[in-house]
Amino acid sequence: MLRRFISYYRPYKKLFILTFTAAIFVALLEIAFPLIVNRVVDTVLPQGNLQLIFWACLALLFVYIFNSWAHYIVTYWGHRLGINIETDMRAELFDHIQKLSFTYHDNHKTGHLLSNLTNELFEIGEVAHHGPEDVFIALMTFIGSFGAMLYINTKLALLMFIMVPAIVFIVVFCNQRMTKAMKLLFRRMADFNARVEDTVGGIRLVQAFANEKHESKLFHKDNYHFRDAKLESYRVMGWNMSLSYLLMRIMMLTVLLAGSYFILQGNLSIGDFMAFILLTNIFFRPIEKINAIIESYPKGYAGFKRFLRLIDTEPDIADQPEAITLEQVKGEIVYKNVRFGYAGSQMILDGIDLSIRAGETVAFVGPSGAGKTTLCSLLPRFYEVQTGSITVDGKDIREVTLGSLRKHIGIVQQDVFLFSGTLRENIRYGKLDAKEEEIIEAAQRAELASFIESLPEGLDTVVGERGVKLSGGQKQRLSIARMFLKNPPILILDEATSALDTETELSIQRALNELSEGRTTLVIAHRLATIRHVDRIIVTTPEGIEEQGTHQELIKQGGHYATLHEAQYAL
């Protein structure tokens, strides 16, 4: 872990050297000040030379100015180093999260991932700055101040050092307890974020069912768990700081008593005693700094451990080393002996064989859970086939890059996801470099033009979070406009009109029919009226593909499709 943590410093070697060098000067000058005071009191002051005292103080002023500058470098540029590392880690983690498959995201809460990207990385950034410098300054100051004390008076230095093992024990013990407390705190924080994300994201459902009290009860439970975890961490911190403070003040009293005795015995000068008192204060600072590290280090350690656990999660769907780019796609699709089942469930697809010609429109119908959506989700490799293969134009989809495969596949779903930007930004998502004319043309072809013209701000109208300001039909048209921009040779329509009223459905269906022209189109449908004119209808059941043919052919067969058709039209 330490080796991997250090690797994030490599791009910022010069910045690290600058701040570390400044930290060395800060530590050295802290120790030098009591020794200079010692010389002024014992050597310069007895001479009675005021001019010499003035020049000595002036020299000390320049030392302070230089030390202030060194402190600024450590504070600002050191934090800059930590923030740079935090930013790099956040970018790496975000990119990695985007590579993880649907399977991973199906099993992990968004709030937990959000916590990984925000709170935990903030703590890691703090440790990245304070960790090396604070530990080094603490050790250097501790050893240097003790060495100076030994030089001034060996007996007094050894007498004070007797209590150091007790302080070290408290520090180590509290650090272990703090690490456990921080792991619990991050876990509770992730649960808290997940609860807030769920409730706020589903606020319309909550209010529709009048379940505000229920959500408040769940929130308060997570909130109090979060509170208890924070209190535990502060309890450990409180004991550590209180016991350390008590021992340090006992050490100070010991120095005062023993130092006074040595002065009265003539074994210690006033200047040496003043220097020793100042060095005692400096000797305490590393202990106080270590206490601060105890507060931040376990947070950073726990956060970095969770960061590594996530960053080391290998995407179960990724490009093979020898993967090729898929180009000039015609759209011929072949499923050969495909078997697939979600984790912890039985096989949904068991030995599926299916060939779809380039440019053909194929509709999948059948009961829920029969594998219609799964069949289509396997094509862009949202999930990976367990056995068998799927080919596009004769190329196994596992042997081509994910980016090039998905570039040639467009998906229009029933539940359209929109970003909280403008209409223009959401349409342009189909082709990020699209020109204004292309966006307008796509909107027209998706029968969205009249709606956009009726808006005061036109394409600059903000759609709200997840498109909350738009109707279902408007969202669907916007999704279709994206597809016109993307212009993929393969199209998947996943129950794209099942949630719409009849008039809107007819309008959307016209746009979809235009969108499907010249493309290989896979349609998942429950309303059989929308697929009567497709080239082929495939009936899937839990046992596999049961029937396939045109609408008229399947009606004549009198099988599952005919029964389904009769049931729908009897309603």
Side-chain angles (χ1 to χ4, degrees), residues 55-69:
W55 286 111
C57 289
L58 187 63
L60 204 54
L61 175 63
F62 280 108
V63 169
Y64 278 143
I65 292 171
F66 181 80
N67 207 16
S68 298
W69 176 73

Side-chain angles (χ1 to χ4, degrees), residues 412-416 472-473 476-477 480 493-502 504-513 523-531:
V412 179
Q413 295 174 306
Q414 174 188 341
D415 184 18
V416 178
Q476 203 61 270
R477 289 189 186 96
I480 294 167
L493 306 178
D494 189 353
E495 300 185 51
T497 62
S498 62
L500 305 175
D501 61 84
T502 305
T504 304
E505 182 182 9
L506 290 172
S507 173
I508 298 295
Q509 198 61 50
R510 285 197 302 269
L512 289 174
N513 290 339
V523 183
I524 300 170
H526 280 148
R527 294 191 188 180
L528 303 186
T530 61
I531 59 167

Side-chain angles (χ1 to χ4, degrees), residues 148-308:
M149 288 176 183
L150 284 172
Y151 172 74
I152 292 170
N153 190 292
T154 305
K155 290 180 181 178
L156 194 55
L158 291 174
L159 186 65
M160 193 186 70
F161 197 72
I162 289 172
M163 292 190 182
V164 170
I167 294 176
V168 171
F169 172 78
I170 292 170
V171 166
V172 172
F173 176 75
C174 289
N175 182 48
Q176 291 174 343
R177 296 293 299 273
M178 199 70 176
T179 300
K180 290 180 182 177
M182 284 303 110
K183 286 180 180 177
L184 178 63
L185 177 61
F186 279 136
R187 197 158 57 244
R188 298 286 194 226
M189 190 184 298
D191 290 338
F192 175 81
N193 286 340
R195 174 61 56 200
V196 173
E197 197 269 338
D198 275 352
T199 304
V200 175
I203 192 66
R204 285 163 183 79
L205 183 67
V206 173
Q207 293 181 355
F209 281 89
N211 278 342
E212 291 89 346
K213 288 184 179 179
H214 172 71
E215 290 300 323
S216 290
K217 196 180 294 181
L218 294 175
F219 173 82
H220 287 311
K221 181 181 177 182
D222 285 327
N223 195 23
Y224 279 108
H225 281 162
F226 185 29
R227 167 187 173 273
D228 292 342
K230 287 195 81 170
L231 286 176
E232 175 60 19
S233 67
Y234 283 117
R235 188 181 70 81
V236 176
M237 193 190 308
W239 275 110
N240 174 51
M241 294 182 72
S242 299
L243 292 173
S244 297
Y245 174 84
L246 178 63
L247 287 172
M248 286 189 287
R249 293 305 171 261
I250 290 172
M251 287 170 68
M252 180 63 79
L253 288 174
T254 303
V255 170
L256 284 172
L257 285 171
S260 301
Y261 173 78
F262 288 140
I263 288 172
L264 293 174
Q265 294 295 314
N267 296 327
L268 191 69
S269 68
I270 299 294
D272 284 345
F273 185 59
M274 286 183 66
F276 207 96
I277 292 292
L278 291 171
L279 282 167
T280 302
N281 286 325
I282 293 171
F283 186 78
F284 288 156
R285 282 179 199 165
I287 298 170
E288 292 168 351
K289 199 172 280 291
I290 287 167
N291 284 335
I293 292 169
I294 282 176
E295 180 184 350
S296 63
Y297 169 77
K299 294 179 183 177
Y301 175 79
F304 189 63
K305 204 167 184 179
R306 286 168 66 90
F307 169 82
L308 288 183

